[in-house]
Amino acid sequence: MRIFYKGLLIALVAMMCNVGMAQVPEKPDSMMPIIDLAGIIKNDALVNELNTRLDSLSRRTTNQIVVVTVNDLGKLEANQFATQLGKKWGIGGKKSNNGLIILVKPKNDNGPGEVYIAPGPGLEGALPDVKCRQIVDSIMVPHLKEGDYASGIEEAINHIEPIVIAEYEQAQAAHDFCYEDDTNDGGNGWWILGGIAAAIGGLTLLRKRNKKNLPPQPADGNQAAAGAATALAATAPQEEPVEEEPVEEEPVEKEPQEKEGDDDTKPDEPEPYK
């Protein structure tokens, strides 16, 4: 029974996703960064300029920014519509997911005006929800309320573009730092560090071997004095032994021994220590 309910839940979720996808327009045959389906951007020169800028940005950083205007969101919220649009159109690619959609729906008979910025997972770190909401409220909405959709969209791109470029440059710098070739300065640096470590290890091993070959050292630890004494003893000339001439001993006259009983006086004994 639990398996049945689990399968039913999955089916309902999939059906809801399909319904949402059905409300999202199909991807245009000629995909450009500015897709003005609502026809609210009246400045063709600005559209061409923005298309060129965003296309160049995509080629340089692989980050894809797309502006989409629609007249109706159907039964979806703005965030749902933008998310489904990004999935259906494949904005940002499946591998990197570094796309971003600026969705604008003007105020008309289908409801109030709405705007939403939806970054893909690959750009959420640089453009979190709080930052996107700030760009919408502080930069875009004042222009959109006056009906100046072109300026609102342009100002949003002016703020988002440097953030996307900085994110790409930081990621590229981190990648280059971690995967440098052995032929560049980073590779030579590793070789130098390895050579220094090997030299230190060799000197340490040689020092240990020399210690084993040294003579026993004195107990007081004065190794320098002992080494000098050993070297001096080894280099000093050896003197030949000198034969001594025999010395004649003079005869000693024996004193006459006193007879017992001549003197009963005994030598004084030492006094005890007090």
Side-chain angles (χ1 to χ4, degrees):
M1 184 65 69
R2 293 178 62 183
I3 297 176
F4 171 76
Y5 283 117
K6 186 176 180 180
L8 180 61
L9 179 61
I10 294 174
L12 289 174
V13 172
M15 184 167 49
M16 291 176 63
C17 291
N18 290 332
V19 171
M21 289 288 189
Q23 299 181 48
V24 173
E26 296 294 331
K27 183 178 180 179
D29 295 334
S30 58
M31 184 68 183
M32 299 294 291
I34 306 296
I35 308 296
D36 186 18
L37 299 177
I40 57 177
I41 306 176
K42 307 300 183 180
N43 191 335
D44 293 338
L46 178 61
V47 171
N48 293 332
E49 178 187 347
L50 295 178
N51 277 329
T52 301
R53 282 176 58 184
L54 296 180
D55 183 66
S56 176
L57 177 67
S58 177
R59 294 175 184 276
R60 175 183 173 186
T61 66
T62 73
N63 296 297
Q64 188 176 8
I65 298 178
V66 177
V67 178
V68 181
T69 69
V70 294
N71 280 317
D72 189 9
L73 299 177
K75 296 182 180 181
L76 299 176
E77 299 293 335
N79 62 334
Q80 296 174 332
F81 193 97
T83 301
Q84 297 295 340
L85 191 68
K87 292 180 179 180
K88 188 173 183 178
W89 289 12
I91 305 300
K94 295 181 179 180
K95 183 178 180 180
S96 302
N97 286 324
N98 55 349
L100 182 140
I101 293 179
I102 301 176
L103 176 67
V104 179
K105 182 226 172 257
K107 181 180 179 180
N108 53 25
D109 295 339
N110 296 322
E114 296 188 55
V115 58
Y116 190 82
I117 298 176
L123 287 176
E124 286 180 346
L127 288 163
D129 291 340
V130 175
K131 183 65 177 178
C132 293
R133 189 75 248 176
Q134 181 183 4
I135 295 174
V136 169
D137 294 340
S138 302
I139 297 173
M140 297 188 69
V141 170
H143 293 284
L144 302 183
K145 284 183 176 180
E146 297 178 0
D148 189 359
Y149 297 101
S151 296
I153 293 171
E154 182 183 15
E155 288 297 323
I157 293 174
N158 290 340
H159 280 75
I160 292 173
E161 185 178 17
I163 296 175
V164 171
I165 293 175
E167 176 73 6
Y168 168 77
E169 290 177 348
Q170 291 177 5
Q172 192 66 28
H175 179 275
D176 294 343
F177 179 79
C178 295
Y179 298 97
E180 287 178 326
D181 295 333
D182 291 340
T183 56
N184 60 19
D185 293 339
N188 293 334
W190 286 111
W191 280 107
I192 293 173
L193 290 177
I196 294 173
I200 293 174
L203 291 175
T204 302
L205 181 60
L206 182 60
R207 186 177 181 183
K208 290 182 178 180
R209 290 182 177 178
N210 290 337
K211 284 184 177 180
K212 293 181 179 180
N213 297 328
L214 289 175
Q217 302 298 321
D220 60 355
N222 193 348
Q223 297 181 358
T230 303
L232 182 60
T235 57
Q238 302 294 330
E239 297 181 358
E240 297 182 358
V242 180
E243 296 182 359
E244 297 181 357
E245 296 180 358
V247 180
E248 294 182 359
E249 297 181 358
E250 296 181 356
V252 179
E253 295 181 357
K254 295 183 179 180
E255 296 180 357
Q257 295 182 356
E258 297 180 355
K259 293 182 181 180
E260 295 180 1
D262 292 345
D263 188 3
D264 295 335
T265 305
K266 295 181 180 180
D268 296 336
E269 294 181 359
E271 294 183 359
Y273 178 76
K274 293 182 181 181

